[in-house]
Amino acid sequence: MAELQYFWQITVAGLGTGLIYGLIGIGFAIVLNVSGIINLAQGEFSMLGAIMTLYALQVLGLPIFAAIALAVTVVTILGVAFERLCISRLKVFSIQTAIFITLGASMFARGGAMVAWGKENHSLPAFSGHGAVSILGAAVPLQVFWILGIAAAVIAALYWWFNRTLFGLAMRSCAENRLGAEFVGINVRLMVTVSFAMSAALGALAGIVAAPLTFVSFDGGLILGIKGFVAAILGGRGSYLGPVIGGLALGVLESVSAGYISSTYKDSIAFAVLILILTLRPNGLFGRWAAR
Amino acid sequence: MLEVEGLVSGYGSVTVLRGVAMRVEPGEIVSIVGANGAGKSTLLRTISGLIRAREGRIRFHGVDIGGKAMHHIVASGLVQVPEGRQLFPTLTVNENLLLGAFARAAWQSRHALRRDLEKQVYPIFPILAERRDQLAGTLSGGQQQMLAIGRALMARPRMLILDEPSLGLAPLVVEELFSVVQRLRNGGMPSLLVEQNARAAAAFSDRVYVLRQGTVVAEGTGADMLRNETLFSEYLGTA
Ligand SMILES: Nc1ncnc2c1ncn2[C@@H]1O[C@H](COP(=O)(O)OP(=O)(O)O)[C@@H](O)[C@H]1O
Ligand SMILES: [Mg+2]
């Protein structure tokens, strides 16, 4: 009985972090689908979101939700500026060059955050206190409910956007056939910019809502980015549901391995999963990676 | 309606068009014929703004559209049904059609656009109404070409450009497509099209341009072209 209890507790913890990976994975998937670019600075959006929220809270003295709104807005603007200034200005566009540029941007963002905010770890208060609720005996921190609510809202909004609006459909069409989209009169470059805006906002939100469970540091985005990438690959790139399921799978796997084996290997799990998926199921667990 | 003068265009360091002049008047169907590699698609791509002209002028309804972005050109009513159709194969027929309206109605509700479908596309291609929820990639070649034309019509074009619409299709289907183009012309929408079958093109167009190695080497009415046997053999190498 205690065995089962322990397993349940571990699983619930894994689901919480898994949702975060999933949100970051959606950010990856949106940019990748629309533009073909793997944005290696995706995790940096999360780090910047968390740090800016802290800044708005502690330095500007804003209340928590105003601080979050400000941070998400600023990170979104940074994402758009990054795409407009660095990516869409490439004289000769190539996916490879763009990916290298995102790598440079991620290092730049980490360096900038370190200079501006220092090397220490900081903590962001939980949105509604540090309490926990017991669900079938597992203690679930209140913050996890925030994560759950935000993830649900994001998925619903994305479903509406991609399936019910012509603009969202146009973004999907760029992923499907870029040339076809141009002939239809879709401004593909604008769609790429919009995809960066969406993934920056999502990344920031994920980083902010996750921060109270861990801590905030200048280099926290790196590992989050990798986890999100694995979530996106695991889920197959088709949609926004895929990365969430991939993220949940990765989160539980990590949590279980840390709980039963050792937490030393927690981060290596993501890499192992990445390699396994890429060699055994390159289409993701649910297939569609190569479907185009 | 559409006037092209001294058009020079190509890819990178390769020059394909070397000073092309042509025009399409209201109420006309104009064909461009020529051997493979003559530059027909390049001409259409340059007119549509996919490739930027190096020299020359392109005017549509008196407005200089040379150098404008493709989405502006589509929004101004010059819409191309491209070579190879360029559909969205894993989206449904209806979704493909709705996307055709993007340039003029990005923020309109999909509900309002569905009414446009029923008025502007389904009456012309009833088969698309039957297949509306099917994925575009599962349609036959002829149906895909109808979908490509239907998608272009959703933009409410003032003029249609078609790049080899008959490629790989059965004669009966080609006949149906041509009659649609003619009906559209009679309704006031002129067309500029590229045809690999010069005889068919001449038979159903008002005027024909013969393109060879990036220049216009002959021009005439469809009837002239049909009478002039040497033109066909000399410039097209086909009987
Ligand atoms: N994307 C491209 N890049 C470089 N050269 C091209 C490209 N597309 C076509 N060409 C070249 O331009 C010339 C004209 O091609 P095109 O306009 O497609 O001919 P057509 O449509 O008359 O068959 C050909 O020699 C072809 O090889
Ligand atoms: Mg061609």
Side-chain angles (χ1 to χ4, degrees), chain B residues 213-235:
Chain B
Q213 293 180 359
T215 46
V216 172
V217 290
E219 176 199 342
T221 64
D224 285 346
M225 289 290 176
L226 277 180
R227 259 180 263 118
N228 196 340
E229 276 300 324
T230 48
L231 255 180
F232 281 123
S233 41
E234 190 173 333
Y235 290 117

Side-chain angles (χ1 to χ4, degrees), chain A residues 108-130:
Chain A
F108 181 79
R110 269 200 300 285
M114 187 185 78
V115 170
W117 200 247
K119 287 187 176 180
E120 312 81 43
N121 292 338
H122 304 264
S123 60
L124 190 68
F127 300 175
S128 29
H130 280 281

Side-chain angles (χ1 to χ4, degrees), chain A residues 17-93:
Chain A
T17 34
L19 276 177
I20 298 295
Y21 299 160
L23 286 177
I24 298 170
I26 294 173
F28 265 115
I30 291 175
V31 166
L32 181 59
N33 277 335
V34 175
S35 69
I37 297 169
I38 295 171
N39 177 17
L40 297 175
Q42 180 66 39
E44 267 35 81
F45 291 143
S46 302
M47 176 273 290
L48 289 173
I51 284 189
M52 282 176 189
T53 305
L54 260 181
Y55 180 85
L57 269 179
Q58 297 180 352
V59 180
L60 304 180
L62 294 181
I64 179 81
F65 292 107
I68 292 171
L70 181 68
V72 171
T73 309
V74 170
V75 173
T76 306
I77 292 170
L78 284 177
V80 169
F82 165 58
E83 195 278 329
R84 281 275 125 172
L85 297 177
C86 303
I87 299 214
S88 73
R89 283 188 184 238
L90 286 179
K91 270 262 153 45
V92 182
F93 180 86

